[in-house]
Amino acid sequence: MSLPKILESKTKIRFQDCDPFNHLNNASYFNYLINAREDQLIENYDLDIYKHGRTTGKSWVVGSHQIAYIKPANLMEVVTIDSQLIKYNEKNLWVEIRMWNAEKTSLKAVLWSTFTHFDIAKQQSAKHSDEFMNLFDQVVLPLEEHSFEERMKSLRYQKQQA
């Protein structure tokens, strides 16, 4: 059985995460997007990064984030969040996470994140195990675009064509 390359879940935008305009606060997007990805990894790949950290002393730390806010997510709105591994190497992962309206007809935000595998005891980056490299090889779904800016232009063009 092949593993899914695009992971998807739904969530509701909550009051405490919104600004005075009843839009999801800019900083709160990160929590929604990263939390969704973490849940999706458990549900689809049986990969609990916290359990992995406790049992191996290794986990992933954020190296960078790039985000584009395209349309507001509104108070009590149900949104769909999908994500995919777009690139990896022996120590790093590159992930794209998208927030849509519930029906996935309107893109609200796009996040590119890099994660570095990290040995907590040694306080330095660590190579991924062969098991992880095999998993990443099965689920990676590269993009045609090689930069965040190119990706945003492509998504805007796709929207205009729709």
Side-chain angles (χ1 to χ4, degrees):
M1 184 173 112
S2 66
L3 295 171
K5 295 183 181 214
I6 297 177
L7 309 181
E8 186 175 298
S9 55
K10 292 188 185 301
T11 194
K12 188 181 287 187
I13 305 302
R14 298 298 179 174
F15 173 78
Q16 70 268 12
D17 301 317
C18 291
D19 62 23
F21 301 105
N22 290 325
H23 299 149
L24 185 60
N25 179 284
N26 289 4
S28 294
Y29 277 84
F30 291 102
N31 291 331
Y32 278 79
L33 296 168
I34 296 298
N35 289 341
R37 177 69 180 175
E38 291 169 357
D39 292 343
Q40 293 165 357
L41 291 174
I42 293 168
E43 292 167 14
N44 292 275
Y45 305 149
D46 195 30
L47 174 55
D48 182 332
I49 63 172
Y50 301 105
K51 181 179 176 186
H52 175 71
R54 285 190 309 275
T55 58
T56 68
K58 296 176 184 170
S59 195
W60 289 266
V61 295
V62 173
S64 66
H65 286 309
Q66 288 181 282
I67 192 166
Y69 303 101
I70 299 165
K71 289 193 173 185
N74 298 302
L75 175 64
M76 299 306 289
E77 178 181 8
V78 174
V79 295
T80 299
I81 298 173
D82 62 13
S83 67
Q84 69 193 72
L85 178 66
I86 58 175
K87 187 169 117 177
Y88 71 96
N89 65 26
E90 66 182 13
K91 293 184 178 182
N92 301 290
L93 304 173
W94 288 261
V95 176
E96 180 175 277
I97 310 173
R98 298 166 295 269
M99 181 184 287
W100 304 81
N101 65 336
E103 301 79 23
K104 289 183 73 174
T105 57
S106 180
L107 185 61
K108 295 181 174 289
V110 177
L111 174 68
W112 272 20
S113 295
T114 61
F115 299 95
T116 300
H117 201 226
F118 195 78
D119 186 312
I120 298 163
K122 293 180 182 177
Q123 289 292 295
Q124 64 185 30
S125 63
K127 289 184 177 181
H128 291 120
S129 66
D130 290 341
E131 180 183 349
F132 279 129
M133 294 297 282
N134 182 47
L135 171 64
F136 304 151
D137 191 49
Q138 291 178 62
V139 302
V140 68
L141 186 59
L143 299 172
E144 290 182 23
E145 303 85 5
H146 297 287
S147 74
F148 188 72
E149 293 75 18
E150 286 178 33
R151 181 67 170 152
M152 293 305 95
K153 284 181 188 175
S154 175
L155 289 169
R156 286 187 178 104
Y157 178 77
Q158 290 172 18
K159 180 184 170 195
Q160 290 173 352
Q161 301 304 307

